[in-house]
Amino acid sequence: MQTHVTTTPFGRRPMTLGQISSQMAAKATKPDAVVHKWHVFNDVRVARELLGATDRSLAILSALLTFHPETALTGEAELVVWPSNEQLMARANGMPATTLRRHIAVLVACGLIIRRDSPNGKRFARKGRGGEIEQAYGFDLSPIVARAEEFKDLAEAVQAEKKAFRVAKERLTLLRRDIVKMIDAGIEERVPGNWGRVQQTYQEIIGRLPRTAPRQLVETICIYLQDLCTQIRDVLESFAKAQNPDANESHSGRHIQNSKPEPLTESEDGFSSNEEAAVIVAETDNVRSLPKRELPLGIVLDACPNVRELAQGGEIRHWRDFLAAAELARPSLGISPSAWREAREVMGEQHAAITLAAMYQRAGQINNAGGYLRSLTDRAKEEKFSTWPMVMALLRARLDAQKAGAVEEGSAEEGATASQPRIQASAALLKSLQKPRP
């Protein structure tokens, strides 16, 4: 019987150099080579992306392997199987005929099988008088034996790459956690430093990371984060040493340091309560009479447009985007995590974020944002604070500023006054929403 003979495909299917190479590799198989077909199949499955195979094509390859009775495949054995399309479709879980033909072509193109087509394209085997197979036409599985070592090396390379990627992602997660918590510790412990700028640098580095990033990019981002993490840790360690120079094993006394000092009140921070309140909060004696309904997001953004610069892509479409931007505004204002946590517990996440956005809008006029937020939180506990008058005050301030600018210029420029109608509409809508329902 003739085996490993170069053949051409039946019908209109063309012959390619890749098919010739596969046939040459199969012909060069050592006669004493022995492989476990399912072990090799597992290597092919792991390395399928490098080979160009698909999940469906591997399902067909698995079905083809089941048609060979032996588990061990040798280089000297006849490895041609000749199942019909109906049999293949049945063992491939009912795969349609068109899909079956397409993915068989994928297996041939990947060099995982070789076509041994008969003159009329049928698959069959011709047996001799003793029952032995003299000639078989179908699919030759000899590449499974011939390329077993290659498949194993590819599978090991893929597994090594996955392990390296997993380690890189773990390192990225740890670095992100360390940096965020150390920044919070620096703000909480009142360590001198521009923590808002540090937070911005961290966001710029993370912003380079797409949703699906290759390992090389993840490792590059880790290098930048490692440098930033080292710098932050050096600052914190230097401050800790300065605060406690005698804290060592030979020191017999105990150094007691309050790691969470009481937050400063507004008067302790050196600014007037009335003056600070006039910045963004309109005082009201009837907070309980204000509506309980939520503020529209569009009106809040008209009152606090600066918060958009913290959003990803500079665009806020949903409340979740607004809440994420508020999280970034907190460290830039120098507000401690504990003050922010208490504000969210008392006001609720949405109203706390609106409060923070309003403070960010007038950040230059607030001496100590942390103490001011705690003051507003205390007022909210007593039901003496609402975000409604705060947003209205900001809308009026923006509208007055634009009108004043137009008068000074003599004629309003198109860019400066394009938002006036929208702000006026937002102010009117907000005023109407504040009216109690009949």
Side-chain angles (χ1 to χ4, degrees):
M1 178 179 60
Q2 297 180 355
T3 58
H4 303 300
V5 178
T6 301
T7 60
T8 56
F10 171 77
R12 297 181 179 180
R13 290 189 293 266
M15 188 69 180
T16 64
L17 291 177
Q19 295 175 9
I20 295 177
S21 298
S22 299
Q23 293 169 7
M24 291 173 58
K27 187 176 181 180
T29 304
K30 297 180 180 179
D32 58 346
V34 181
V35 299
H36 192 295
K37 65 180 181 182
W38 297 118
H39 292 174
V40 180
F41 176 79
N42 185 64
D43 293 337
V44 172
R45 180 186 58 80
V46 173
R48 64 182 181 277
E49 293 184 0
L50 296 180
L51 294 170
T54 62
D55 295 339
R56 291 288 188 91
S57 62
L58 291 186
I60 298 172
L61 179 61
S62 175
L64 288 173
L65 290 174
T66 62
F67 285 102
H68 194 280
E70 301 295 333
T71 301
L73 305 182
T74 63
E76 59 181 359
E78 177 63 39
L79 301 179
V80 178
V81 293
W82 54 94
S84 64
N85 282 351
E86 288 74 14
Q87 292 174 317
L88 267 179
M89 287 187 292
R91 296 200 184 184
N93 302 319
M95 184 180 296
T98 54
T99 305
L100 178 72
R101 288 192 291 268
R102 185 169 65 253
H103 289 287
I104 287 177
V106 172
L107 291 176
V108 174
C110 294
L112 295 173
I113 61 174
I114 299 175
R115 287 185 181 273
R116 301 293 183 191
D117 289 345
S118 65
N120 60 1
K122 301 294 183 180
R123 301 177 202 136
F124 63 91
R126 183 181 294 110
K127 298 182 179 181
R129 292 184 178 180
E132 72 279 2
I133 298 176
E134 294 183 346
Q135 183 67 47
Y137 297 102
F139 301 109
D140 192 349
L141 302 178
S142 55
I144 299 297
V145 180
R147 303 178 61 187
E149 290 297 325
E150 176 189 351
F151 296 149
K152 184 178 180 180
D153 293 341
L154 290 175
E156 291 177 352
V158 169
Q159 291 174 341
E161 175 65 21
K162 287 183 177 180
K163 181 180 179 180
F165 198 10
R166 184 170 60 253
V167 170
K169 290 194 293 185
E170 290 174 356
R171 183 187 177 195
L172 176 66
T173 301
L174 292 175
L175 285 171
R176 295 184 65 173
R177 185 182 70 190
D178 291 347
I179 290 174
V180 170
K181 289 186 178 293
M182 285 194 295
I183 291 176
D184 289 343
I187 297 174
E188 184 81 15
E189 302 288 347
R190 305 180 187 274
V191 179
N194 190 350
W195 294 108
R197 179 57 184 168
V198 174
Q199 176 74 12
Q200 184 178 356
T201 302
Y202 167 71
Q203 292 298 332
E204 289 175 354
I205 296 174
I206 295 300
R208 306 175 195 172
L209 197 65
R211 186 177 297 273
T212 55
R215 174 184 58 83
Q216 293 79 3
L217 180 57
V218 173
E219 291 179 345
T220 301
I221 296 297
C222 286
I223 293 175
Y224 290 111
L225 289 178
Q226 183 66 60
D227 293 340
L228 181 61
C229 183
T230 301
Q231 295 174 15
I232 298 174
R233 182 174 292 278
D234 290 343
V235 171
L236 295 179
E237 290 179 353
S238 299
F239 183 77
K241 291 179 181 179
Q243 292 292 103
N244 188 13
D246 296 328
N248 52 56
E249 294 180 359
S250 62
H251 187 56
S252 58
R254 295 183 63 188
H255 177 81
I256 301 176
Q257 178 182 351
N258 186 4
S259 61
K260 291 188 177 181
E262 292 296 325
L264 298 177
T265 63
E266 291 185 6
S267 58
E268 292 173 335
D269 287 336
F271 54 78
S272 170
S273 299
N274 293 333
E275 179 183 355
E276 191 71 28
V279 175
I280 55 175
V281 179
E283 297 290 348
T284 178
D285 295 330
N286 57 344
V287 172
R288 292 183 178 89
S289 65
L290 292 173
K292 301 302 182 182
R293 66 175 71 94
E294 299 296 338
L295 281 160
L297 178 59
I299 293 179
V300 175
L301 293 177
D302 284 338
C304 313
N306 290 354
V307 75
R308 283 191 174 96
E309 66 189 27
L310 300 175
Q312 187 174 6
E315 198 170 350
I316 296 178
R317 298 181 178 179
H318 309 283
W319 278 111
R320 62 175 177 270
D321 300 334
F322 185 81
L323 297 176
E327 288 285 352
L328 299 180
R330 178 193 63 77
S332 65
L333 291 172
I335 297 174
S336 66
S338 59
W340 174 233
R341 182 170 55 253
E342 184 180 3
R344 286 185 298 173
E345 291 174 355
V346 174
M347 303 180 189
E349 287 194 353
Q350 189 166 310
H351 287 285
I354 294 173
T355 304
L356 209 61
M359 295 171 63
Y360 187 78
Q361 183 68 25
R362 295 289 183 85
Q365 303 179 34
I366 301 177
N367 294 328
N368 187 282
Y372 185 45
L373 180 62
R374 290 185 185 276
S375 176
L376 296 180
T377 303
D378 293 339
R379 292 168 59 186
K381 290 179 182 178
E382 301 173 0
E383 297 186 5
K384 295 181 179 180
F385 168 73
S386 172
T387 55
W388 282 76
M390 170 186 287
V391 173
M392 175 60 80
L394 287 173
L395 284 174
R396 288 173 179 169
R398 288 198 66 201
L399 194 57
D400 293 343
Q402 289 182 352
K403 289 180 179 179
V407 172
E408 291 178 1
E409 292 294 334
S411 61
E413 296 180 1
E414 181 180 355
T417 60
S419 59
Q420 282 189 21
R422 187 181 70 250
I423 296 176
Q424 289 175 343
S426 295
L429 176 61
L430 187 61
K431 187 174 181 180
S432 65
L433 290 174
Q434 289 183 4
K435 295 180 180 179
R437 294 180 179 179

